[in-house]
Amino acid sequence: NAGVTQTPKFRVLKTGQSMTLLCAQDMNHEYMYWYRQDPGMGLRLIHYSVGEGTTAKGEVPDGYNVSRLKKQNFLLGLESAAPSQTSVYFCASSYPKTGGPSTDTQYFGPGTRLTVL
Amino acid sequence: RKEVEQDPGPFNVPEGATVAFNCTYSNSASQSFFWYRQDCRKEPKLLMSVYSSGNEDGRFTAQLNRASQYISLLIRDSKLSDSATYLCVVRVFGNEKLTFGTGTRLTIIP
């Protein structure tokens, strides 16, 4: 099993450009998450999904869109990149406990380092 | 006030020593507690869950104090490989999301 993979690993964008980050997991997890990590800020949740075809906003959703068309994939889009979106982006997945909220163990991908000039 | 607060460190500790750090959380409805470990330029990985009665995993001991709303992590006989950032993580009851602290950076010195 590859676990959680992210594409690309690195990217440099100019202000106003768009891009899509891809997250894929092969663990049949229901729940998937996108975080950003900035120095001194910790991990902050951007958007998340509790199942195929569903998405929800996290703590810092502005400027990002997501889609979960397939259970194994979770895409994060930046329509018009801004320097404030320079960050490390992590995707994570987890499996729900039976009859309750998601299991608390989240499995993270290796991250995408994005720089917006 | 941040939901989860940690001393950022750095903690520079000689090999073989014991080190402990705490984390405080602000939401009394917090239900689940964890320590994640993050190596430099890598993804976070679960180190251990924290149970109400306290729990051990080898050299690592985690404790929870609900009355004072803090959790702690104790590392005994520290190894060079323990050098990392330790993230305190909390989940509020009924919430799908985890809240991460900013992390405590630990460096073990030979």
Side-chain angles (χ1 to χ4, degrees), chain A residues 11-69:
Chain A
R11 185 72 185 269
V12 178
L13 289 179
K14 293 181 180 178
T15 297
Q17 288 185 317
S18 63
M19 76 164 295
T20 300
L21 282 66
L22 171 63
C23 175
Q25 51 93 5
D26 61 1
M27 297 175 283
N28 201 34
H29 284 173
E30 290 291 338
Y31 293 10
M32 296 186 75
Y33 311 81
W34 274 108
Y35 294 90
R36 59 178 288 173
Q37 187 174 37
D38 303 292
M41 300 293 291
L43 281 156
R44 293 183 292 169
L45 184 65
I46 305 172
H47 286 278
Y48 65 102
S49 168
V50 300
E52 182 179 318
T54 70
T55 62
K57 293 180 179 179
E59 183 184 354
V60 287
D62 293 343
Y64 305 94
N65 56 75
V66 288
S67 64
R68 184 98 180 270
L69 298 180

Side-chain angles (χ1 to χ4, degrees), chain B residues 20-66:
Chain B
F21 22 85
N22 293 338
C23 157
T24 59
Y25 60 94
S26 61
N27 192 332
S28 58
S30 298
Q31 179 187 38
S32 305
F33 309 89
F34 316 90
W35 286 101
Y36 275 67
R37 171 194 168 125
Q38 185 172 23
D39 294 313
C40 188
R41 301 179 74 83
K42 297 287 189 180
E43 71 272 22
K45 293 183 180 178
L46 179 68
L47 177 67
M48 59 195 302
S49 300
V50 186
Y51 303 122
S52 296
S53 55
N55 48 296
E56 272 190 27
D57 184 1
R59 298 180 293 107
F60 297 83
T61 299
Q63 293 202 314
L64 167 64
N65 185 319
R66 286 191 184 272

